[in-house]
Amino acid sequence: MATLAAGKRRPLLRVHNLKTYFFPDEGTVRAVDGASFEVCAGQTLGIVGESGCGKSVTARSILRIVEHPGEIVEGEIRYLHRTDGREVELDLAQISADGPEMRQIRGGEIAMIFQEPMTSFSPVHPIGSQIVEAIRLHSPLGKREARERAADLLRQVGISRAEARLDEYAYQLSGGLRQRAMIAMALSAEPRVLIADEPTTALDVTTQAQILDLLRQLQTDLGMAIILITHNLGVVAEMCDTVVVMYLGRVVEEGSVDAIFHNPKHPYTRLLLQSIPSLYSEARVPLPTISGAIPHPYNRPEGCPFHDRCPQFMPGTCDRHVPELQALDERESDQLVSCFLYHEPTDERA
Amino acid sequence: MAGWLIRRTLFAFATLWAISMLSFVVIQIPPGDYVTSYIAQLQSQGTIFTDVEAQALRDLYGLDQPVILQYFRWLGLMAQGNFGVSFEFNRPVLDVIGDRFLLTIVVSVAALLLTWIVALPIGIYSAVKQYSIGDYAFTFIGFIGLAIPGFLLALVLMYFGFVLFDANVGGLFSPEYAQADWSWHKFWDLMQHMPIPALALGLAGTAFLIRIMRANLLDELRKPYLVTARAKGLTNNRAVLKYPVRVALNPFVSIVPFVLRDIVGGSVIVSIVLSLPTLGPILLKSLIAQDSFLAGTIILLLGVITVVGTLISDILLVILDPRIKFEARGG
Amino acid sequence: MAEDHTTRTIESTVAVGGAREEERISVATQWQLTWWRFRKHKVANIAAIVLITYYVVVLFADFFAYADPNLPAAKRGLLPPQPIHLFDDDGWNPHVLAFEGSRDPETFERVYEILGDQPISVQFFAQGLEYEILGIIPWDRHLIGVSDDAGGALAQEHVSLLGTDIQGRDMWSRIVFATRISMTIGLIAVAISQILGIVIGGVSGYFGGLIDTVIQRIIEIVRSIPQIPLLMGIAAAVPKDWTIEQIYFAITILLALILWTELARVVRGRFLSLREEDFVMAAELAGASRMRIILRHMVPSFLSHIIAATTLAIPTIIISETSLSFLGLGLRPPAISWGVLLQQAQNIQTLALSPWLLLPALPVIVAILAFNFLGDGLRDAADPYGT
């Protein structure tokens, strides 16, 4: 599988201009407002941004589990669905969210792990029964075989005494073990894409490193594509091949991990990078922070959503036109940025 | 788990003990002692009572001894199956109670089952379809249900039964079965009379349980494990039923003792209105006649029903919620 | 995301947008915030108005009633309700139609016939029986009365707005006076159980440890006992020769003794969670005395919860009193409460012929509903993080 995708380099999943809005009674929240990115087999894509920037909603949109009153209002989620040994490109945004195809893909081909492994497991069902359920949803295995497979999975993610652990409950496991069990459950149907939504945020630093190692190892073994959602730029630098930077539901910059870290273009990306503490920074100098706060979701600024916090704000342009995500220049199509510092406004909005 | 159950059993005994004290208080408060009232009652009916006989009775209940000893003597007599004599009915208390204890349990359990059967699906529906028209309708009906005391509902049901169907909807048996021995036909007759008492007794509890279920389930529906379950590929409905509903059942079960308590308490008045042959009507009669042993025993028995009910729900809760086992083991 | 969403909803229920609005909220006291949130709760507002109306009736019962509630009239037994017709053929002329009573020769029951041609004019704010407002100011005006051309007659001899009971006493006036007793007994009993609950719950929550454990066990035991049989048992022991006031007082104390546990639980819960709050810790570090911490910092922050819990406890007391009196174990005639009035509805044959005897159930249900809605609204308003 890994060779197939690597040879063709055809993206497994392409998200184009995805818009997911929430419609509570008080108004509209544009949680994801035109996100585009793609990911290939065996690759890791990082999605970074502050909390509330739409990272998690993007992930849920891909799996079509956005909660009411949220809705995908526009855009495409093109996925290479594997069926009867062939690959068919499907637009996940168009098919029924609770229909058989989507359910086959959800958990079967695209799996997800979550930030809080404690609350992500049911407190009243043993870990084993929850994993067995996931296995049997996507394979014809009987109860006993599924249980054996569940134990294998636990071993695969490095959990000892796997058989006994199957009968334990989430609150009986440590945070690290819980996240491993969560990963095991996600792997139960050998997914081709694994979405990891802040998988290490709730863990202590040593456990974080172990979980990240495990994910990398599994990726090499299984050839999965991983979409890693995080606000931790260190994790991104360590894990990812390509990075998408999001701000207020929009992708502001996208590129290889090298380009983003060594040659950031968007002012927001630059500020994010500067706010990481570093061994080389001068002592007793306050870290630079991004001025202002994320705007209230009902009060989004006109024009470029970042303009009111941007140090390079250009009056008359940034507050009147909405920038598009475009390649930095013709030759180098790797790095894309959505900023008027690099291209002229093209839209007619005033 | 065993530790938890032992604690709950000890608690049940403590409660029983408290109820027995209170029941004894009810026996004690009427002015004058029991034997004096008993003799007065018998003499008014023309029975002659000798001083020797009266003294024998006084000795039996230890009436010349301090109150605390009387209490223990009463407990001791009950342990031997002697619940005293009802002078209002001029028969042993146990004879007077007869089937009524069992029928009180049957009526209460029927009402409890009704609250469950109705409240569970409606509670789930109201939470899953929060703010839908159905949710608003059930919430409104629920509020009304909470606001109508059981005996008023019973009165209204009686009134409409009488006016619309020209039938007395009260009672638990048709006349031909009232005095008959137990048989399947009698049982079936009982079941046919059950809906109205169950409704009158169960409405408030149902409304209460709907609110509890709705609130709990709304909390659980926000928990990440539901997203996990959906992300596995479960349909939304199955995921909701299998996980959040299952978790929300725990508080739902743990609230049952209070619902049962109110049903048993309410059954006294509702039974009086609907003339059900349960403990309620004879409790009222015995209280008005100051027939203290009968009244005390009935209050004790009603307490026993709720205590046993609480214990059963505790056991159910251990089975339902593994966290309790864990807490008990971990200390 | 779900979390973000809830926070957002709360912000927006407080106020949507606007920097001035935000500033107004940030300097508002807790009481103001609670008040604003309460104002948004429409049903609770309506409930509050309904309850205010009830208590106006309680205060001025003599004005709203037009008849002596305890005066029997053998010839006016079980009169059906007499609706007020506001207009006649000539326009505005409020009147009721007279009844003529006779005895059915076969059943010996009193039957009444409406005399369509004998309108009795009705006046609002009319003169009638003399009474003293709040027991001080003598007055003789009533909400309704019979106009002078009926010969200066008293309303109670001609009007039966909601019918009469078996002894011919006016139901409307009896319900008005019953409201006075039933609505105050709840308030007083709640006040007493409140004091018990706050003291015991506060002690339990603040000191914790063994005291807490013991009190909690006691509360748990009291809460698992069915209340009505116990209330009945104790109420039955109230001596028959006590005066109305004595019985009223005894029943009130009795209800309070049974109901303090719920409030003690609420208070303890709030105390326990507040003890952990940063601002209590901060006050302790600043060297504030224990009393000052409790009175200045803790009490204000849970007072609103207490008020809500109190409001929600009143219906239980009203139901208990009504039930006891209905059984003849609570208040007894000549005292008038909703339960006492409903006693006459116990006989199904009488009720079938005179369904208006069930009317006192209406104020019971409306009052319970109103207290529940108000309590819910207050609780939501008091809890900034509630849903």
Side-chain angles (χ1 to χ4, degrees):
Chain A
M1 189 186 75
T3 45
L4 181 131
K8 283 165 79 182
R9 267 299 184 223
R10 188 175 171 195
L12 258 182
L13 182 72
R14 285 190 299 152
V15 173
H16 181 70
N17 193 32
L18 175 70
K19 293 185 178 177
T20 305
Y21 292 176
F22 284 80
F23 301 96
D25 296 339
E26 293 85 5
T28 303
V29 178
R30 292 185 279 174
V32 181
D33 199 17
S36 305
F37 52 84
E38 53 187 48
V39 60
C40 299
Q43 266 202 343
T44 301
L45 168 76
I47 303 184
V48 292
E50 291 165 278
S51 41
C53 73
K55 301 172 299 207
S56 293
V57 177
T58 307
R60 285 167 195 223
S61 303
I62 296 173
L63 280 177
R64 298 299 308 278
I65 50 173
V66 178
E67 273 145 41
H68 183 82
E71 245 174 77
I72 296 179
V73 291
E74 208 181 310
E76 296 167 3
I77 304 169
R78 298 237 164 239
Y79 169 69
L80 280 186
H81 178 41
R82 200 167 37 168
T83 174
D84 305 328
R86 290 180 307 123
E87 282 185 334
V88 189
E89 196 177 65
L90 261 184
D91 185 354
L92 302 187
Q94 295 302 323
I95 64 177
S96 155
D98 231 10
E101 260 176 332
M102 194 59 230
R103 276 185 287 127
Q104 202 184 335
I105 293 170
R106 191 190 299 144
E109 296 178 42
I110 307 179
M112 186 161 175
I113 59 177
F114 300 91
Q115 173 174 355
E116 230 321 312
M118 176 73 179
T119 50
S120 298
F121 276 113
S122 156
V124 297
H125 295 81
I127 300 279
S129 90
Q130 297 180 61
I131 301 180
V132 164
E133 179 184 47
I135 294 169
R136 298 193 60 196
L137 272 171
H138 302 285
S139 77
L141 290 184
K143 267 190 183 163
R144 184 176 304 164
E145 293 103 316
R147 195 179 153 89
E148 278 163 25
R149 166 114 177 92
D152 286 343
L153 282 167
L154 288 189
R155 276 187 280 273
Q156 193 180 359
V157 297
I159 294 182
S160 59
R161 300 198 299 115
E163 281 288 340
R165 297 285 191 201
L166 287 177
D167 295 321
E168 292 187 356
Y169 294 89
Y171 52 83
Q172 289 169 282
L173 305 180
S174 69
L177 279 186
R178 255 182 243 137
Q179 194 56 288
R180 283 172 193 267
M182 178 58 67
I183 295 171
M185 185 158 83
L187 294 180
S188 59
E190 299 184 351
R192 308 170 77 196
V193 180
L194 178 69
I195 304 178
D197 187 357
E198 307 261 9
T200 57
T201 309
L203 305 174
D204 65 68
V205 184
T206 9
T207 323
Q208 271 188 21
Q210 289 167 359
I211 295 292
L212 292 177
D213 281 344
L214 174 68
L215 283 177
R216 247 196 314 253
Q217 181 65 40
L218 289 168
Q219 186 175 36
T220 327
D221 294 350
L222 305 172
M224 297 179 296
I226 293 182
I227 298 178
L228 181 70
I229 295 170
T230 180
H231 61 264
N232 186 332
L233 290 165
V235 171
V236 171
E238 201 180 332
M239 295 283 294
C240 299
D241 302 302
T242 47
V243 182
V244 164
V245 182
M246 286 185 73
Y247 183 79
L248 275 191
R250 294 180 68 88
V251 174
V252 293
E253 188 163 7
E254 185 177 338
S256 69
V257 74
D258 275 346
I260 297 288
F261 276 83
H262 299 297
N263 190 18
K265 292 296 178 198
H266 197 281
Y268 178 66
T269 317
R270 287 185 190 160
L271 283 165
L272 267 187
L273 288 165
Q274 280 167 20
S275 61
I276 308 176
S278 152
L279 281 179
Y280 308 106
S281 43
E282 230 173 298
R284 285 183 194 79
V285 173
L287 277 173
T289 50
I290 306 178
S291 67
I294 298 183
H296 193 275
Y298 297 121
N299 285 330
R300 292 165 65 105
E302 288 289 304
C304 170
F306 190 59
H307 80 253
D308 56 345
R309 299 171 76 188
C310 182
Q312 279 146 294
F313 166 54
M314 299 178 287
T317 308
C318 297
D319 53 355
R320 301 183 65 176
H321 303 279
V322 182
E324 296 283 327
L325 189 64
Q326 287 175 17
L328 202 52
D329 57 59
E330 307 292 301
R331 283 154 294 138
E332 225 183 317
S333 62
D334 247 27
Q335 197 169 359
L336 306 157
V337 65
S338 161
C339 180
F340 294 124
L341 291 171
Y342 307 100
H343 30 73
E344 292 300 311
T346 49
D347 63 329
E348 294 305 312
R349 264 166 78 173
Chain B
M1 175 172 139
W4 192 76
L5 278 186
I6 289 170
R7 276 213 307 275
R8 298 307 299 172
T9 312
L10 284 179
F11 175 73
F13 276 108
T15 313
L16 270 186
W17 170 73
I19 293 172
S20 74
M21 295 267 276
L22 290 167
S23 309
F24 188 68
V25 169
V26 171
I27 292 179
Q28 282 290 318
I29 16 184
D33 71 35
Y34 164 75
V35 173
T36 316
S37 325
Y38 184 42
I39 293 169
Q41 176 83 8
L42 287 181
Q43 276 165 350
S44 73
Q45 291 164 4
T47 314
I48 309 296
F49 219 77
T50 64
D51 285 350
V52 180
E53 284 170 304
Q55 192 54 44
L57 264 184
R58 284 214 165 79
D59 289 343
L60 178 65
Y61 295 114
L63 292 188
D64 302 325
Q65 289 168 333
V67 173
I68 189 83
L69 287 180
Q70 291 183 36
Y71 168 66
F72 284 111
R73 186 163 284 247
W74 178 62
L75 284 187
L77 285 173
M78 276 198 300
Q80 295 162 27
N82 181 352
F83 287 77
V85 174
S86 151
F87 53 71
E88 173 73 8
F89 295 90
N90 204 4
R91 275 190 300 162
V93 164
L94 275 192
D95 274 13
V96 177
I97 289 172
D99 280 348
R100 287 171 181 268
F101 181 50
L102 189 70
L103 287 173
T104 307
I105 296 177
V106 171
V107 171
S108 303
V109 169
L112 190 64
L113 285 181
L114 180 89
T115 62
W116 261 70
I117 293 167
V118 177
L120 192 63
I122 293 181
I124 294 173
Y125 173 88
S126 279
V128 173
K129 306 260 180 215
Q130 194 189 8
Y131 303 140
S132 66
I133 293 175
D135 176 30
Y136 280 122
F138 285 127
T139 307
F140 181 73
I141 295 171
F143 263 112
I144 305 273
L146 273 180
I148 302 183
F151 76 92
L152 277 184
L153 184 62
L155 270 181
V156 172
L157 289 174
M158 284 285 275
Y159 173 73
F160 282 112
F162 197 85
V163 172
L164 296 180
F165 307 109
D166 198 22
N168 187 350
V169 297
L172 281 179
F173 299 103
S174 310
E176 62 266 33
Y177 289 109
Q179 301 300 325
D181 286 333
W182 279 102
S183 64
W184 282 112
H185 290 291
K186 184 173 182 179
F187 180 75
W188 180 237
D189 186 52
L190 173 65
M191 287 301 121
Q192 284 178 313
H193 281 80
M194 206 51 90
I196 289 200
L199 178 63
L201 274 175
L203 183 68
T206 308
F208 180 60
L209 282 181
I210 290 174
R211 287 181 74 186
I212 297 278
M213 187 67 201
R214 179 178 181 273
N216 285 330
L217 190 53
L218 280 176
D219 279 352
E220 295 302 328
L221 286 175
R222 296 195 195 101
K223 297 273 173 75
Y225 64 76
L226 175 61
V227 184
T228 316
R230 294 183 65 199
K232 278 188 214 175
L234 283 173
T235 61
N236 193 25
N237 286 347
R238 259 190 77 189
V240 167
L241 283 180
K242 178 152 186 199
Y243 294 102
V245 168
R246 173 71 177 63
V247 179
L249 271 183
N250 297 343
F252 193 66
V253 169
S254 64
I255 210 81
V256 160
F258 296 106
V259 175
L260 180 67
R261 175 198 69 187
D262 290 344
I263 287 178
V264 170
S267 82
V268 172
I269 312 185
V270 168
S271 298
I272 292 166
V273 174
L274 294 176
S275 29
L276 308 181
T278 64
L279 293 174
I282 51 169
L283 174 62
L284 181 65
K285 233 180 199 170
S286 62
L287 284 172
I288 289 172
Q290 304 215 331
D291 189 351
S292 29
F293 277 106
L294 183 56
T297 309
I298 292 175
I299 291 177
L300 184 65
L301 286 179
L302 291 173
V304 168
I305 299 178
T306 54
V307 169
V308 172
T310 308
L311 205 55
I312 292 174
S313 95
D314 284 341
I315 294 169
L316 259 178
L317 208 54
V318 188
I319 299 169
L320 262 179
D321 194 343
R323 282 171 294 189
I324 292 175
K325 289 181 216 167
F326 184 66
E327 269 166 33
R329 209 187 305 154
Chain C
M1 203 54 230
E3 259 171 45
D4 293 356
H5 181 62
T6 25
T7 347
R8 223 176 280 143
T9 328
I10 286 158
E11 281 166 13
S12 49
T13 37
V14 174
V16 180
R20 235 181 58 203
E21 188 78 341
E22 269 171 39
E23 194 183 305
R24 195 168 79 100
I25 287 164
S26 60
V27 299
T29 65
Q30 183 162 6
W31 285 108
Q32 278 171 314
L33 286 173
T34 307
W35 173 242
W36 290 338
R37 277 194 299 264
F38 178 73
R39 287 301 307 274
K40 303 241 164 201
H41 207 301
K42 288 283 174 298
V43 187
N45 282 276
I46 296 170
I49 293 168
V50 168
L51 288 172
I52 290 170
T53 315
Y54 265 96
Y55 283 106
V56 169
V57 172
V58 166
L59 286 178
F60 305 107
D62 308 270
F63 168 75
F64 288 95
Y66 54 80
D68 177 345
N70 273 326
L71 185 75
K75 292 201 167 168
R76 290 171 57 81
L78 292 178
L79 258 175
Q82 247 177 337
I84 296 183
H85 301 268
L86 290 179
F87 299 95
D88 65 7
D89 298 341
D90 306 326
W92 174 255
N93 178 21
H95 64 279
V96 295
L97 297 176
F99 282 107
E100 189 181 56
S102 60
R103 227 169 245 292
D104 187 310
E106 279 168 40
T107 60
F108 293 103
E109 270 165 1
R110 274 196 85 81
V111 285
Y112 295 96
E113 201 188 337
I114 300 175
L115 302 174
D117 54 345
Q118 284 190 27
I120 301 169
S121 292
V122 169
Q123 273 186 341
F124 295 99
F125 297 97
Q127 271 179 315
L129 296 167
E130 287 177 13
Y131 60 94
E132 278 147 9
I133 302 172
L134 303 175
I136 313 166
I137 310 155
W139 212 31
D140 62 355
R141 294 280 164 180
H142 294 264
L143 180 62
I144 58 173
V146 178
S147 54
D148 297 333
D149 37 298
L154 287 173
Q156 63 183 10
E157 284 158 25
H158 291 276
V159 183
S160 59
L161 203 52
L162 298 180
T164 59
D165 71 356
I166 296 168
Q167 282 113 307
R169 295 172 296 196
D170 182 68
M171 286 296 279
W172 164 265
S173 305
R174 284 176 72 74
I175 290 176
V176 165
F177 279 100
T179 303
R180 175 175 272 182
I181 286 191
S182 292
M183 289 296 276
T184 52
I185 212 166
L187 275 195
I188 297 172
V190 142
I192 299 171
S193 66
Q194 196 65 267
I195 295 167
L196 277 173
I198 290 177
V199 171
I200 298 175
V203 165
S204 190
Y206 193 81
F207 292 103
L210 185 66
I211 300 176
D212 183 38
T213 314
V214 172
I215 293 178
Q216 284 319 301
R217 286 299 152 272
I218 295 175
I219 290 180
E220 235 182 292
I221 287 175
V222 175
R223 275 167 58 82
S224 59
I225 300 174
Q227 291 159 359
I228 289 177
L230 198 60
L231 279 174
M232 285 170 65
I234 303 173
V238 173
K240 300 257 186 298
D241 51 358
W242 279 16
T243 63
I244 296 183
E245 287 78 16
Q246 281 172 315
I247 294 175
Y248 179 94
F249 189 66
I251 297 289
T252 311
I253 298 274
L254 185 57
L255 294 173
L257 282 179
I258 299 278
L259 286 158
W260 60 272
T261 53
E262 180 60 34
L263 293 159
R265 236 168 40 94
V266 174
V267 172
R268 170 179 174 268
R270 296 304 305 168
F271 246 109
L272 283 186
S273 60
L274 279 175
R275 233 178 21 174
E276 312 299 323
E277 291 280 348
D278 289 341
F279 70 88
V280 173
M281 174 75 85
E284 258 169 48
L285 290 177
S289 74
R290 189 167 264 206
M291 214 51 215
R292 189 181 157 81
I293 291 173
I294 294 179
L295 291 181
R296 191 82 189 86
H297 297 276
M298 293 173 83
V299 171
S301 69
F302 70 58
L303 210 53
S304 46
H305 289 263
I306 306 261
I307 293 172
T310 311
T311 315
L312 289 171
I314 296 177
T316 323
I317 295 197
I318 291 180
I319 292 180
S320 305
E321 185 276 318
T322 309
S323 307
L324 281 182
S325 306
F326 173 74
L327 294 175
L329 296 174
L331 298 169
R332 299 166 198 155
I336 309 169
S337 79
W338 291 330
V340 172
L341 296 189
L342 283 168
Q343 262 186 299
Q344 290 206 342
Q346 269 187 24
N347 185 318
I348 189 69
Q349 270 83 14
T350 319
L351 185 59
L353 291 173
S354 321
W356 56 91
L357 291 178
L358 208 51
L359 279 174
L362 216 60
V364 181
I365 294 168
V366 172
I368 296 170
L369 264 180
F371 275 117
N372 274 328
F373 280 128
L374 178 68
D376 268 13
L378 286 173
R379 188 178 49 199
D380 291 352
D383 185 1
Y385 305 109
T387 42

